[in-house]
Amino acid sequence: MAKFLVAGITQIETIVKVKSIPIDYKPLTIVPNSVFTSIGGTAYNVSLALTSLGDNVRFVSMIGKDSDYSILNPHDSDILLPTKYIKRNLQDTPTSVILYDDKWNQQIFEDIKDAREAEFDMTGTDDLIDDADMVVLSNANFCRPFCYKAKEKNKKIAVNIHSFSWDKVKYNTDFYKAANIIYMSDSNIGKDPYDFVTEIADGYDIDIVLLGQGKDGAILYDRKKNIKVHYNSVSTLDIVNTAGAGNALLSCFLHYYMETGDSVLSIRNALLFASYKIGFMGTSSGFMTTSQLKEWHDKIWPSNDIFSEMKAKVDSNSES
């Protein structure tokens, strides 16, 4: 069990099933069971996923000043997150609307309210960072102080780039420079994905780059292993909604990487974890436990004992 400090945006998300994207105009569309609202956001979802996998998570975020902490732990949630490090210092809690169609195309509308300008009170956070085995950051502006402090303390840092675009590279430079591990989607890279991960890794001396490729899987770049490999996606449950798959992929990868130190074992588990997650509605549901993951792994790859490999890795790391 690793200790993670996870910091980033929490938001209220509304997911809407539409016939197709782009949307044809109609003054009113009535479709039963087509609108779903829940709490979500990169840091929130990663915190839930890591907790489901058995890790110790310190969740750091900001919500609206009039919001109740109970929104973070809905009554029907199987996982409860501590709210000790949640600040109610925003004018309103950030919100988003995610449209998706039968082909799993998405169109996302976000309103992060005043989160870009708001500052997080860093009093007492030194001990919080000292106690963490890894610091997992969204590229939200208020996360920069955590980025600087974690780097100074020589902590392992993973950065979740919420939405990559070339015009935001300068804005995210501090995060790139600090990161040991970085995750992003291939949605807006505009070039060969293998060239892209090499450019990012070499440009900022990053150890591991995870490039999510949606239904096509993911590319793993690992400097120490000297590999740059594509892995196909995995099929488990019928797909309900793909929103939040990237956060699930990153979370599971980090859990197993901290446990085994092996990026290949970790990405294979992460793809399985993400595949199961997209069988549920909403970005913050459908996270497996480690025992559930093993059960699914045995169904899909019964002759490939990856968990024995992982146990050997853990035992080897413990001895060293």
Side-chain angles (χ1 to χ4, degrees):
M1 179 179 72
K3 295 180 180 179
F4 289 93
L5 187 162
V6 181
I9 293 290
T10 297
Q11 59 191 14
I12 298 169
E13 297 177 335
T14 297
I15 298 176
V16 184
K17 175 70 180 296
V18 298
K19 185 175 181 180
S20 62
I21 295 175
I23 302 170
D24 293 329
Y25 171 73
K26 289 183 180 180
L28 176 64
T29 300
I30 300 175
V31 180
N33 301 314
S34 62
V35 181
F36 177 85
T37 299
S38 67
I39 198 74
T42 52
Y44 180 77
N45 295 336
V46 168
S47 295
L48 284 178
L50 288 171
T51 301
S52 181
L53 290 166
D55 293 304
N56 185 322
V57 177
R58 308 291 177 85
F59 172 41
V60 176
S61 192
M62 301 189 294
I63 59 177
K65 62 183 180 181
D66 295 327
S67 297
D68 192 275
Y69 290 120
S70 62
I71 68 171
L72 301 171
N73 291 305
H75 66 88
D76 58 347
S77 177
D78 295 329
I79 305 169
L80 298 180
L81 295 176
T83 58
K84 181 178 180 180
Y85 304 106
I86 309 300
K87 304 293 185 181
R88 293 195 299 183
N89 61 339
L90 300 180
Q91 290 300 312
D92 295 288
T93 299
T95 58
S96 70
V97 175
I98 303 170
L99 308 182
Y100 76 100
D101 64 18
D102 289 332
K103 296 181 179 179
W104 311 117
N105 297 312
Q106 291 186 5
Q107 187 170 359
I108 302 174
F109 300 82
E110 283 193 331
D111 179 359
I112 64 170
K113 307 303 181 182
D114 58 327
R116 188 170 285 108
E117 295 79 29
E119 296 182 359
F120 192 93
D121 182 0
M122 297 296 290
T123 303
T125 57
D126 280 321
D127 291 342
L128 191 61
I129 295 171
D130 287 337
D131 193 46
D133 297 316
M134 173 174 279
V135 176
V136 186
L137 302 174
S138 304
N139 57 326
N141 200 41
F142 82 89
C143 293
R144 290 182 192 279
F146 288 97
C147 180
Y148 303 146
K149 279 196 173 186
K151 186 70 172 177
E152 289 172 4
K153 294 174 179 291
N154 201 31
K155 290 291 179 177
K156 293 180 180 178
I157 300 172
V159 175
N160 186 356
I161 298 295
H162 178 49
S163 178
F164 177 84
S165 65
W166 289 104
D167 60 353
K168 292 183 179 179
V169 168
K170 184 177 180 180
Y171 167 84
N172 290 318
T173 296
D174 292 340
F175 294 103
Y176 290 138
K177 287 182 176 179
N180 303 104
I181 299 173
I182 198 161
Y183 169 82
M184 58 188 72
S185 166
D186 70 348
S187 300
N188 300 308
I189 63 175
K191 61 166 54 183
D192 178 84
Y194 294 98
D195 292 341
F196 175 77
V197 296
T198 302
E199 181 177 340
I200 293 296
D202 290 348
Y204 299 97
D205 195 27
I206 299 170
D207 295 329
I208 291 176
V209 178
L210 297 174
L211 186 68
Q213 297 183 295
K215 62 182 175 59
D216 294 324
I219 289 176
L220 166 68
Y221 171 100
D222 186 329
R223 183 182 303 279
K224 293 179 181 178
K225 281 182 174 289
N226 192 29
I227 59 173
K228 183 168 50 176
V229 184
H230 168 83
Y231 290 89
N232 290 329
S233 59
V234 178
S235 179
T236 51
L237 305 179
D238 291 337
I239 299 174
V240 173
N241 180 254
T242 60
N247 294 329
L249 181 85
L250 173 64
S251 304
C252 188
F253 179 88
L254 295 178
H255 167 82
Y256 284 106
Y257 188 74
M258 291 300 290
E259 183 176 286
T260 68
D262 192 312
S263 60
V264 173
L265 296 178
S266 300
I267 191 62
R268 289 162 64 187
N269 274 330
L271 286 163
L272 175 55
F273 188 82
S275 171
Y276 185 86
K277 185 264 165 294
I278 62 177
F280 294 79
M281 177 57 72
T283 66
S284 56
S285 59
F287 301 125
M288 282 192 284
T289 62
T290 53
S291 60
Q292 288 175 312
L293 197 149
K294 184 180 187 306
E295 289 175 9
W296 273 97
H297 181 277
D298 291 344
K299 290 178 184 178
I300 298 172
W301 302 294
S303 62
N304 187 349
D305 194 358
I306 190 174
F307 284 89
S308 293
E309 293 180 54
M310 285 193 295
K311 185 178 186 303
K313 287 284 184 182
V314 173
D315 291 344
S316 174
N317 291 343
S318 298
E319 291 172 4
S320 59

